[in-house]
Amino acid sequence: MSIPNFASASPMSKKSTATIRVSPILNLDEAEPCTAQSHIKSLPPDSSVDGEVWVVRTFTSLQSKLRGARSLLRRKGQSPISGTGRHIVLDRARRALLHDPQTGYPYIDNSIRSSKYTLWTFIPRQIWYQFSKLANAYFLCVSILQMIPGLSTTGSYTTIVPLLIFVSISMAKELWEDLRRHRLDKVENFSTARILGEAIGVPPSTAVGMLSSEASSWKSILWKDIRVGNIIRLQRNEPVPADLVLLHVEGSQEVAFVETMALDGETNLKSKVSLPLLSQCDSVAQIVSRSLEIFVEEPNLDLYSFNGNMTALGETLPLTNEHVMYRGSVLRNTSEAFGIVVYSGEDCKIRMNATKNPRIKAPALQAEVNKVVILIVLFVITLAISLTISYQIMKPKEKRAFYIASASISGFPIFISFVILLNTMIPLSLYVSLEIVKLCQVFFMTSDLQMYDENSKTPMEARTSTINEELGQVSYIFSDKTGTLTNNSMLFRRMSVAGLTFAHHPNMQRLEWSKQSQEKLPTYAATPSIMQIPFVNSTSARDSGSVEYTTGDLLQYSQDYPDLPLAKAYKAFLLSIALCHTCMPEIKPDGTVEFQATSPDELALLEAAKELGYLLTNRQAGTLTIKTSSGGAFNIEEYQILHVLEFTSDRKRMSVIVRMPDGRVSLFCKGADSTIKGLLRLSELAVQKGQDVARRAHARQSIEAENYVKRRSTYDARKALSGHSSFGNPRSSIPGLRTVDTQDSSTKWLADEEMEILASPVEAEFPLRFSYQLPHRLQPSPPIAQGSPESGTLSFKGIPIDDVKLFENCFQHINDFATDGLRTLLYSNRYISENEYDSWSRIYREASASLENRQEKMEVATNLIERKLELLGATAIEDKLQDGVPSAIERFRRANIKLWMLTGDKRETAINIGRSCNMIQDFSEIMILDHELPDDLAQQIHPQTWKITHVGVAHSVVVVDGQTLSMIEADDMLHASFIELAVLVDSVVCCRASPSQKASLVRSIRHRVEGAITLAIGDGSNDIAMIQEAHVGIGITGREGLQAARTSDYSIAQFRFLVRLLLVHGRWNYIRTCKYTLGTFWKETLFYFTQALYQRYNGYTGTSLYESWSLSMFNTLFTSLPVIFMGIFEQDLKPQTLLAVPELYNLGPRNRGFSLTIYLHWVAMALAEAIAVFFLMLGLYGQATFTTDNGLFSMGALAFTACVVIIVTKMQYWELQNKTVACAVAMLLSIGGWFLWNVILGATYSHNTIYDVKGGLVARWGRSPLWWLCLLLIVISVWTFELMVKMAKVAWRPSDVDEFQQLEKDKACWERIKLAARDDAMYRGTDAEIRTGSEEDAKREREVLELLARPRAMDGEPEGLRRRHSAHDGAEEVIELDELDTHTGRSAVTALSM
């Protein structure tokens, strides 16, 4: 049989031929390697070819060795590509390992590795990483020079030994973190599966009927030992260990359902079936006994397509995605399934989409530190050159000294000695101390109970500490949808029947009202399962003042008047919900019915139908049994399922053809409104009415967008007139609007926050997201119907009587539902005559059996029957968000962080969730990029880019699907244009994205947007690639397991915890790391520059001002704790302030904590203070004539002591905002330790001709009042200088941090800050607060005005130190109350005061 060529189907394949005979049994003991060498050895002995054989043999051996070396140095890769795909033949006689004849190597085993290093790659990769830190590379060079004899005055090994110790500590930390990943990989690789065992060797007559019944026929095997060709046995809820072609499913349905969340993020179950060729087999034993051949394509990345075929008994049928179960899937709702392995290990699609060699993540701040290190190296070299030149100038004077007159030293050794003397201006312990700081930061993050999830008992976990500061620099968040933003819980909310909309409330009562007292619930006469609460529609009903009916009203009406048109339409609508699905009912022992659904949408719909009286009780191969309830009576009806036309992303609909109990054939169809409109009987009218509704919605959105732009323009004009810069101006798609410095006054911020609420539209007060917020004020509504349920006279008004009104109302309802973020479906049906059905059925069967263009022919056949439909109604389902997601996204928006949603779900679902979580506003302009549109992609991208940059868009969102993204990535110019557009817009939604595409998007932003720090967050295996690619990877320990969490840098239980992780801990970590680094460089410059100044007074001989042992202990014992404690305990602002004002987060993304400019400022301070220390010491003490001891050691001790005191007080008092007991501990240990060191040194030191140490502090200079007086004068002088600089900075250029530090001290403002920091999504308020909301708002506004008009009394400050407020300042503050936060129209004071 010829092997089909799959080269065109696989982008990775190459043209060649290969035939592989694959056995379903693997016996490792009998395996014989089939290599190219074995083929060569089998050649006939022919001397004419001996040379050629030797060349081939040598080349093959060398190739094998190189291949083995590569596999050791890198992770195990995929199998070599043979070209035509894999040919798998069920051969019971084979026991050897399977080989690719093109390469001569076996197919890889099933083991996987997600860790960064192997045993062979750890040391070389870590050495490269450690010495990519320029400070380490610098010390390596210095240590080499130091070990050259005769060059160093400080010893030969004083640098290399500490350097090796510090580097080893850092490498050990990386090793420990990666060992955890290895252990997690081991758990997966050592999981067990069952493969068909030795029983396959018995004669077929005895094997049939034996394999499925005897456990001895199956043997357990570790996942890592599974090979291509093994037959795997799966049971319910077991994960799929490798990529399998489905052979057999136990059960009457012959359908296996798998959950693929770990692959594509989709929540719906996928149905998998075996080919009809195998359906006649009762067991896997019968399948094995047949002659079966499988052809599959080479391994590739595409999760959404599969090419292959299967041949049995001379008949060949194609294999598609519905016949394959991929690794990462879980078998659900199926008792047992059997499959044959076609791809294993790294060849599996989930591993093909994974990042094979995850990069070693290094913080972006390290690049800035490297710049500073280069600058310090240049400074040291320049200083050493200057000192060397000075020595050469002073050298003639040495001839006068007879004892060194004959000594001759060239300039280069002198230069090197000065370099070695000053090399510690870059502290050797910089990175090791920083690791200590970061480990303590991790401890504080993991100990934060505000990020502990009570429901799952899951704390925040950190798997690395290297990139802590990048949590405070994030500019882009790439988020998965399912399990990250949503709970994967669908709730039926609304439906539209006969042109009327009805709210469904049982779920709301059960889920949202369960925590409130029962007396709060209004009472209505209703059936036990229905809560009839009149509910105001969020858009049309609210605006018009009309009242929305409930499903309870409709149910009661249909029971009272079953023969009226509305009741009939209602019953037909519910029947369509109960029939048009693929769910399986399961009757529990207690008699209750639970549904096993392939999609949570279908589950929510069936649960709603059950609550409304239509219960699915049984589903057989060709029948559905429905139990209906009407007026207390129960009826059971059986419907024959003739055909199921399944949903696909292209069709955007699903249909079932059933034979009704009365014998008629009916088609029920559900799908997207854009698709169903064109299939209706009056399709032209339906399309026209849909366009009219869309036109009105677009006009409303245009008005909202125009008002938004006007508010932004007004705000900018007032900002320019007032001279104030925007405090929290968010990113915008409007040209000319740029984020500026955050230097507003606290009054300005209060005014902006106040107006943010005052200027908001009414709709914003009550967003229709029932999952996280109920209406605040439920006012009494007029009667929704005449009569009452008790009297039996309930009747509805305004029922549409023609198709025009029906279409208009229903499509308006659909638009309203979608605006509220609900997922919508249209239902329709038609009756089919027997003749039409018979003729169509023949066409459909022929299309299904076609081997060529089968999919296209089936599409044509379905279009023939899905036409001239009658509209039944519409449903609206809420995809329940996780707690706090909308408020979290709003805070990220205010923090100037862009959010991208990358999901495997379809486009409509992604857009609906985007609306629900506030990524997409009502007035947002949605730009959909689609390769199927008439315009090419360049024509879609360029006009949108021009419009944003030249015209301006209020709020823009780009939506792109995976296939379109693949085409974009294939063209470099198109890709660059897409990234340019994506950076300009406010949000990006990428649907149907594969894991590799997610990672590619993250990589593109990381490389193309300068200075952008990316964060990826997800909870499934499909998110691992982007988590590893991003600067910061966050895993959600959610429903999809721990696959993402275990490979992430940090893990949390809920998306809302990301707010505190970034805005609080991330910002703190960034500030702490920056201050630690600046403080370290500052103290080294201060201390060692005094050494350089002293060289003038010792003839530039390199003599040290400080005693050598004290000098070596400077960083370790006396000044390490102050900077380390600053890096651990600093909190420049309180967490409540950071949560209440997310705009303060901008400090990190803008690199305002550490930069070359900031470093130069600190260095200038250090140089000025070093000059003051040295010359005050020299002038007041060193040149004094009335002191008993002003020798070198006493002068050095004075300068040393002054430096220690200045460093400790600056780090723990002047620069530290969060002053705690730890400050006193650090000061006591550092200063007290220095004096204790002098006591011990003076008692133990032997005679030294240069430094007279013996008894120095106790007996000599420690008893001199002049010494202590000089120390006091030096320290006070430097303190005065520090204070003057800080006062000038606060007075002339106050920062936002300075303003809010003052604001925190004001008692009234602090109370409002604490209220604003509250998570609004978790707080509902009492009924009294709800009823008096308006009055309270007005009262708080008056209080704020009074607050702004008076001086602020700070805690612990006398009246004389209260903050100044001039009349001019007060006038400005009042005027600024009208200035808006133009992105939302809200104001911050009311946010604080609510």
Side-chain angles (χ1 to χ4, degrees):
M1 175 177 294
S2 63
I3 300 175
N5 194 327
F6 294 106
S8 60
S10 174
M12 299 178 63
S13 58
K14 302 175 183 177
K15 291 186 178 181
S16 61
T17 59
T19 301
I20 307 172
R21 297 184 61 81
V22 181
S23 169
I25 299 302
L26 173 64
N27 190 332
L28 295 175
D29 296 333
E30 300 179 12
E32 296 181 0
C34 177
T35 62
Q37 290 92 328
S38 63
H39 292 295
I40 294 172
K41 292 177 182 178
S42 64
L43 293 173
D46 188 348
S47 59
S48 62
V49 296
D50 283 347
E52 182 180 352
V53 170
W54 180 85
V55 171
V56 173
R57 183 180 300 165
T58 303
F59 175 76
T60 307
S61 176
L62 180 61
Q63 185 182 35
S64 175
K65 293 177 180 178
L66 291 175
R67 180 185 175 88
R70 186 181 65 177
S71 65
L72 285 174
L73 293 176
R74 297 177 64 87
R75 74 169 60 243
K76 179 180 60 179
Q78 290 81 26
S79 297
I81 299 172
S82 59
T84 60
R86 301 184 177 186
H87 177 199
I88 302 173
V89 181
L90 290 183
D91 185 356
R92 293 177 298 169
R94 178 179 287 276
R95 292 292 185 269
L97 288 174
L98 307 173
H99 292 70
D100 186 341
Q102 290 292 317
T103 62
Y105 292 97
Y107 290 110
I108 62 174
D109 60 27
N110 200 44
S111 61
I112 59 101
R113 183 170 66 82
S114 60
S115 54
K116 295 180 181 179
Y117 309 102
T118 65
L119 181 64
W120 304 97
T121 63
F122 176 76
I123 291 180
R125 291 186 71 184
Q126 268 298 301
I127 288 177
W128 173 262
Y129 170 69
Q130 293 297 334
F131 288 101
S132 67
K133 303 173 182 178
L134 288 187
N136 287 347
Y138 165 75
F139 282 117
L140 179 63
C141 296
V142 170
S143 63
I144 293 174
L145 294 174
Q146 196 176 35
M147 289 186 291
I148 299 176
L151 289 183
S152 174
T153 59
T154 58
S156 299
Y157 306 103
T158 55
T159 302
I160 188 64
V161 173
L163 177 64
L164 293 178
I165 293 174
F166 295 151
V167 169
S168 299
I169 292 174
S170 297
M171 293 175 65
K173 172 180 165 291
E174 285 287 333
L175 178 63
W176 173 253
E177 292 176 353
D178 205 55
L179 282 176
R180 292 189 296 180
R181 298 186 180 96
H182 275 282
R183 286 194 291 267
L184 293 171
D185 289 338
K186 185 177 180 180
V187 171
E188 182 168 344
N189 290 329
F190 281 77
S191 300
T192 58
R194 289 180 297 280
I195 67 169
L196 194 57
E198 299 298 332
I200 199 167
V202 302
S205 60
T206 58
V208 175
M210 165 186 168
L211 297 179
S212 60
S213 60
E214 293 187 8
S216 60
S217 303
W218 302 90
K219 71 174 184 178
S220 293
I221 188 173
L222 299 178
W223 276 26
K224 68 183 183 67
D225 296 326
I226 293 174
R227 295 280 184 161
V228 172
N230 285 144
I231 295 179
I232 305 294
R233 178 183 184 180
L234 294 173
Q235 293 182 328
R236 186 170 184 165
N237 297 329
E238 286 187 350
V240 180
D243 290 355
L244 313 175
V245 169
L246 187 61
L247 297 178
H248 179 68
V249 180
E250 292 289 344
S252 59
Q253 299 300 314
E254 299 180 355
V255 177
F257 294 99
V258 295
E259 177 186 278
T260 61
M261 283 195 298
L263 280 165
D264 52 23
E266 294 190 36
T267 57
N268 56 305
L269 301 182
K270 308 292 192 305
S271 59
K272 304 292 183 179
V273 297
S274 59
L275 285 177
L277 295 175
L278 307 177
S279 60
Q280 54 186 313
C281 301
D282 297 330
S283 66
V284 69
Q286 293 184 3
I287 297 174
V288 172
S289 65
R290 300 188 175 201
S291 175
L292 185 67
E293 298 184 32
I294 299 175
F295 298 86
V296 296
E297 62 185 342
E298 288 292 342
N300 58 74
L301 298 169
D302 195 350
L303 289 170
Y304 301 103
S305 68
F306 183 87
N307 292 316
N309 61 49
M310 179 184 291
T311 301
L313 302 177
E315 186 175 359
T316 301
L317 287 180
L319 291 171
T320 63
N321 238 12
E322 67 176 359
H323 305 114
V324 183
M325 297 189 296
Y326 296 120
R327 178 172 183 154
S329 307
V330 180
L331 188 67
R332 302 290 191 196
N333 304 343
T334 307
S335 59
E336 212 166 37
F338 304 86
I340 183 170
V341 178
V342 292
Y343 305 130
S344 59
E346 299 294 337
D347 287 342
C348 294
K349 297 222 175 204
I350 189 173
R351 295 301 303 163
M352 295 282 287
N353 277 277
T355 303
K356 297 302 180 297
N357 291 284
R359 65 186 185 90
I360 301 174
K361 295 186 178 182
L365 190 62
Q366 182 176 312
E368 295 296 324
V369 173
N370 287 343
K371 295 178 183 178
V372 170
V373 169
I374 293 175
L375 189 63
I376 295 177
V377 171
L378 294 176
F379 177 72
V380 169
I381 293 175
T382 302
L383 193 59
I385 293 175
S386 302
L387 294 175
T388 303
I389 294 174
S390 299
Y391 172 74
Q392 295 298 328
I393 295 174
M394 294 286 294
K395 192 174 181 180
K397 297 181 180 180
E398 292 181 356
K399 296 181 180 180
R400 303 173 188 173
F402 67 93
Y403 51 89
I404 57 173
S406 60
S408 176
I409 303 176
S410 62
F412 181 73
I414 292 293
F415 168 75
I416 295 299
S417 65
F418 279 125
V419 170
I420 295 174
L421 178 68
L422 300 173
N423 79 88
T424 48
M425 289 190 73
I426 303 174
L428 189 58
S429 60
L430 172 67
Y431 295 116
V432 174
S433 298
L434 186 57
E435 292 297 333
I436 296 174
V437 167
K438 291 185 176 182
L439 288 175
C440 294
Q441 292 173 358
V442 165
F443 172 78
F444 288 129
M445 288 191 292
T446 56
S447 302
D448 190 347
L449 295 180
Q450 297 294 325
M451 294 190 292
Y452 178 79
D453 186 49
E454 287 287 350
N455 296 327
S456 61
K457 308 298 181 185
T458 305
M460 181 268 172
E461 294 185 25
R463 290 170 176 80
T464 183
S465 60
T466 305
I467 54 176
N468 287 349
E469 63 269 28
E470 292 199 333
L471 290 171
Q473 296 178 276
V474 174
S475 303
Y476 288 85
I477 294 178
F478 298 85
S479 175
D480 181 36
K481 180 187 75 68
T482 305
T484 304
L485 299 177
T486 67
N487 264 338
N488 192 26
S489 174
M490 304 296 178
L491 303 176
F492 184 84
R493 288 305 190 193
R494 299 206 162 152
M495 66 182 187
S496 174
V497 179
L500 298 175
T501 179
F502 300 88
H504 188 64
H505 292 288
N507 291 331
M508 186 184 299
Q509 177 191 13
R510 182 167 61 252
L511 296 181
E512 274 73 39
W513 288 80
S514 59
K515 296 183 180 180
Q516 302 187 21
S517 57
Q518 293 298 321
E519 59 267 17
K520 295 182 183 180
L521 299 178
T523 57
Y524 293 86
T527 59
S529 63
I530 302 297
M531 187 178 97
Q532 299 181 11
I533 304 177
F535 197 84
V536 179
N537 192 355
S538 62
T539 51
S540 58
R542 179 175 58 227
D543 297 337
S544 62
S546 62
V547 179
E548 186 179 44
Y549 306 120
T550 68
T551 52
D553 302 323
L554 185 55
L555 177 63
Q556 184 67 46
Y557 177 84
S558 65
Q559 293 174 355
D560 293 341
Y561 307 103
D563 298 326
L564 293 183
L566 178 59
K568 291 182 178 180
Y570 167 71
K571 293 177 181 178
F573 178 69
L574 286 183
L575 182 62
S576 66
I577 294 178
L579 292 176
C580 192
H581 58 81
T582 58
C583 297
M584 297 286 297
E586 184 176 341
I587 301 178
K588 297 296 182 181
D590 59 358
T592 59
V593 178
E594 291 187 0
F595 303 111
Q596 303 296 333
T598 60
S599 167
D601 301 66
E602 291 192 336
L603 179 62
L605 290 168
L606 276 183
E607 289 289 351
K610 171 184 174 182
E611 293 167 351
L612 297 175
Y614 279 72
L615 173 63
L616 173 66
T617 59
N618 190 22
R619 184 179 192 128
Q620 296 299 326
T623 61
L624 280 178
T625 303
I626 305 295
K627 184 178 182 180
T628 61
S629 173
S630 177
F634 296 97
N635 299 319
I636 297 179
E637 297 176 341
E638 191 172 276
Y639 298 82
Q640 182 182 358
I641 302 297
L642 302 177
H643 291 280
V644 177
L645 310 179
E646 294 185 352
F647 177 90
T648 66
S649 58
D650 294 329
R651 284 167 38 80
K652 298 182 181 179
R653 63 187 184 272
M654 172 198 174
S655 299
V656 293
I657 302 176
V658 301
R659 188 173 297 278
M660 308 290 285
D662 59 7
R664 292 185 297 171
V665 178
S666 180
L667 178 142
F668 293 91
C669 181
K670 69 177 179 182
D673 60 298
S674 58
T675 301
I676 300 298
K677 289 174 186 175
L679 304 178
L680 296 178
R681 177 174 53 85
L682 301 175
S683 58
E684 294 183 0
L685 176 63
V687 172
Q688 177 188 347
K689 291 302 177 184
Q691 291 174 350
D692 292 342
V693 171
R695 191 179 303 111
R696 291 195 296 268
H698 180 70
R700 176 177 58 84
Q701 294 172 1
S702 299
I703 293 174
E704 292 179 355
E706 183 179 353
N707 292 335
Y708 170 80
V709 174
K710 288 180 179 178
R711 291 198 302 269
R712 293 297 297 263
S713 301
T714 303
Y715 179 79
D716 287 341
R718 290 180 177 178
K719 177 189 67 177
L721 289 175
S722 64
H724 288 280
S725 60
S726 173
F727 175 75
N729 188 17
R731 284 189 182 90
S732 173
S733 303
I734 303 175
L737 293 180
R738 295 291 183 265
T739 306
V740 295
D741 295 344
T742 59
Q743 296 181 358
D744 288 355
S745 65
S746 56
T747 302
K748 167 68 171 57
W749 172 77
L750 283 171
D752 284 346
E753 288 291 299
E754 177 67 22
M755 291 307 299
E756 196 172 349
I757 288 292
L758 296 180
S760 62
V762 177
E763 292 85 352
E765 188 176 3
F766 310 125
L768 184 64
R769 283 301 305 175
F770 303 120
S771 296
Y772 67 88
Q773 184 168 348
L774 286 174
H776 290 188
R777 299 170 178 86
L778 290 176
Q779 301 295 339
S781 301
I784 62 173
Q786 295 179 348
S788 65
E790 292 84 351
S791 63
T793 60
L794 189 66
S795 62
F796 291 88
K797 299 293 185 181
I799 299 175
I801 58 176
D802 57 13
D803 291 317
V804 176
K805 192 65 175 176
L806 174 64
F807 289 164
E808 192 174 75
N809 286 8
C810 184
F811 297 155
Q812 182 62 54
H813 295 157
I814 286 271
N815 184 269
D816 294 340
F817 298 159
T819 301
D820 294 330
L822 303 179
R823 303 169 69 160
T824 59
L825 286 174
L826 278 182
Y827 280 82
S828 58
N829 83 316
R830 67 175 287 227
Y831 286 97
I832 307 171
S833 65
E834 289 291 341
N835 292 335
E836 182 183 2
Y837 171 73
D838 291 338
S839 61
W840 175 84
S841 181
R842 287 193 299 270
I843 297 173
Y844 187 75
R845 281 198 302 270
E846 292 174 0
S848 300
S850 175
L851 295 179
E852 296 182 358
N853 301 323
R854 179 178 57 163
Q855 204 64 33
E856 291 80 359
K857 292 179 179 179
M858 291 179 64
E859 182 71 22
V860 172
T862 56
N863 291 336
L864 293 176
I865 199 70
E866 293 173 332
R867 60 188 181 89
K868 296 183 179 181
L869 304 177
E870 298 292 337
L871 181 62
L872 294 177
T875 60
I877 298 173
E878 177 192 0
D879 191 351
K880 191 173 186 299
L881 298 175
Q882 290 187 7
D883 290 337
V885 167
S887 62
I889 292 177
E890 173 62 16
R891 279 190 165 99
F892 290 144
R893 180 200 66 77
R894 292 178 58 191
N896 221 14
I897 301 175
K898 283 191 175 183
L899 180 67
W900 290 26
M901 182 169 66
L902 313 180
T903 176
D905 276 345
K906 56 183 182 290
R907 179 189 297 162
E908 291 78 9
T909 301
I911 292 176
N912 285 337
I913 293 300
R915 293 185 184 278
S916 302
C917 64
N918 292 337
M919 280 184 61
I920 303 176
Q921 306 291 335
D922 290 345
F923 54 86
S924 297
E925 179 166 335
I926 301 177
M927 309 171 185
I928 297 179
L929 304 181
D930 192 343
H931 68 284
E932 295 181 351
L933 294 177
D935 296 336
D936 61 29
L937 291 173
Q939 292 177 345
Q940 297 177 42
I941 293 174
H942 295 312
Q944 300 292 352
T945 304
W946 184 89
K947 184 177 181 180
I948 293 175
T949 54
H950 293 83
V951 178
V953 177
H955 190 271
S956 54
V957 179
V958 165
V959 180
V960 63
D961 62 89
Q963 291 185 354
T964 304
L965 189 60
S966 298
M967 298 179 65
I968 291 174
E969 291 175 341
D971 188 327
D972 291 340
M973 294 185 64
L974 193 61
H975 189 226
S977 300
F978 170 75
I979 295 299
E980 181 184 2
L981 174 62
V983 171
L984 289 173
V985 299
D986 296 278
S987 296
V988 174
V989 176
C990 185
C991 52
R992 292 293 182 187
S994 66
S996 60
Q997 287 176 326
K998 293 181 179 182
S1000 177
L1001 283 174
V1002 175
R1003 188 184 308 113
S1004 298
I1005 295 299
R1006 187 164 59 84
H1007 289 162
R1008 293 174 180 264
V1009 181
E1010 184 179 358
I1013 301 298
T1014 59
L1015 181 147
I1017 179 170
D1019 68 327
S1021 296
N1022 60 316
D1023 304 316
I1024 291 177
M1026 73 170 181
I1027 285 175
Q1028 292 178 332
E1029 190 63 45
H1031 290 93
V1032 182
I1034 306 292
I1036 299 288
T1037 52
R1039 297 182 58 178
E1040 295 186 30
L1042 301 176
Q1043 298 96 329
R1046 76 184 189 185
T1047 57
S1048 64
D1049 304 307
Y1050 309 91
S1051 64
I1052 52 180
Q1054 295 281 327
F1055 182 85
R1056 59 190 170 93
F1057 295 150
L1058 188 63
V1059 174
R1060 188 172 182 88
L1061 182 61
L1062 296 187
L1063 302 189
V1064 179
H1065 290 284
R1067 190 183 183 281
W1068 280 349
N1069 292 341
Y1070 175 72
I1071 293 297
R1072 290 164 176 169
T1073 305
C1074 291
K1075 285 193 173 183
Y1076 163 82
T1077 307
L1078 289 170
T1080 300
F1081 287 138
W1082 169 83
K1083 72 182 181 71
E1084 300 301 318
T1085 304
L1086 169 66
F1087 184 74
Y1088 285 100
F1089 192 63
T1090 57
Q1091 285 270 51
L1093 294 174
Y1094 176 63
Q1095 296 307 307
R1096 177 177 180 273
Y1097 299 93
N1098 61 36
Y1100 301 100
T1101 59
T1103 303
S1104 174
L1105 175 63
Y1106 308 116
E1107 187 270 332
S1108 58
W1109 281 104
S1110 301
L1111 183 64
S1112 62
M1113 295 294 108
F1114 171 75
N1115 284 312
T1116 306
L1117 296 183
F1118 311 131
T1119 60
S1120 60
L1121 280 183
V1123 290
I1124 289 176
F1125 275 36
M1126 168 174 280
I1128 296 174
F1129 297 108
E1130 170 63 333
Q1131 297 178 11
D1132 62 332
L1133 292 170
K1134 297 180 181 179
Q1136 293 90 338
T1137 304
L1138 298 176
L1139 291 174
V1141 193
E1143 293 85 352
L1144 291 166
Y1145 183 80
N1146 291 332
L1147 187 72
R1150 298 180 187 176
N1151 295 320
R1152 297 295 177 83
F1154 186 94
S1155 65
L1156 194 59
T1157 303
I1158 297 174
Y1159 165 75
L1160 292 176
H1161 168 74
W1162 281 65
V1163 166
M1165 294 285 292
L1167 294 176
E1169 291 165 354
I1171 292 173
V1173 169
F1174 179 78
F1175 285 106
L1176 286 175
M1177 177 272 299
L1178 183 64
L1180 297 178
Y1181 185 78
Q1183 297 177 352
T1185 58
F1186 50 86
T1187 181
T1188 58
D1189 183 6
N1190 59 353
L1192 179 59
F1193 179 67
S1194 60
M1195 288 194 301
L1198 177 58
F1200 201 118
T1201 307
C1203 288
V1204 169
V1205 173
I1206 292 169
I1207 290 169
V1208 170
T1209 53
K1210 181 179 176 68
M1211 294 294 102
Q1212 293 298 298
Y1213 184 80
W1214 298 113
E1215 296 294 334
L1216 192 69
Q1217 176 69 16
N1218 182 37
K1219 298 177 178 64
T1220 62
V1221 177
C1223 300
V1225 172
M1227 296 174 72
L1228 177 63
L1229 292 179
S1230 298
I1231 298 176
W1234 161 244
F1235 285 109
L1236 179 62
W1237 169 265
N1238 276 277
V1239 172
I1240 297 173
L1241 197 67
T1244 59
Y1245 214 95
S1246 59
H1247 178 70
N1248 190 301
T1249 56
I1250 300 178
Y1251 303 98
D1252 191 7
V1253 179
K1254 193 71 173 177
L1257 174 62
V1258 176
R1260 293 183 292 109
W1261 51 263
R1263 294 172 177 263
S1264 171
L1266 180 61
W1267 191 94
W1268 292 100
L1269 180 61
C1270 290
L1271 174 64
L1272 185 61
L1273 291 175
I1274 293 172
V1275 171
I1276 291 177
S1277 299
V1278 175
W1279 283 355
T1280 303
F1281 176 69
E1282 285 279 352
L1283 183 60
M1284 291 175 60
V1285 172
K1286 291 183 70 69
M1287 290 177 62
K1289 178 178 176 295
V1290 172
W1292 293 334
R1293 295 194 61 184
S1295 66
D1296 54 331
V1297 175
D1298 298 328
E1299 297 290 346
F1300 277 91
Q1301 285 175 352
Q1302 296 298 316
L1303 193 64
E1304 287 178 346
K1305 299 176 183 179
D1306 189 287
K1307 297 179 181 178
C1309 288
W1310 174 240
E1311 292 300 320
R1312 284 164 174 78
I1313 288 176
K1314 290 192 294 184
L1315 289 176
R1318 179 187 59 204
D1319 190 351
D1320 297 333
M1322 306 302 295
Y1323 181 79
R1324 298 292 180 267
T1326 63
D1327 283 344
E1329 290 174 335
I1330 292 174
R1331 287 192 299 268
T1332 60
S1334 301
E1335 293 80 0
E1336 291 294 326
D1337 288 348
K1339 180 180 178 181
R1340 281 190 290 267
E1341 290 162 18
R1342 291 192 297 270
E1343 291 177 354
V1344 168
L1345 290 176
E1346 296 174 359
L1347 173 67
L1348 298 179
R1350 68 172 177 82
R1352 301 193 179 100
M1354 308 306 174
D1355 290 338
E1357 292 184 2
E1359 293 292 326
L1361 295 180
R1362 291 179 180 176
R1363 191 173 185 271
R1364 296 183 297 108
H1365 284 274
S1366 65
H1368 178 70
D1369 293 336
E1372 282 189 349
E1373 292 165 0
V1374 175
I1375 292 173
E1376 288 165 353
L1377 281 174
D1378 294 330
E1379 298 184 4
L1380 302 179
D1381 178 342
T1382 55
H1383 190 83
T1384 60
R1386 296 181 63 236
S1387 132
V1389 175
T1390 302
L1392 289 178
S1393 57
M1394 289 190 64

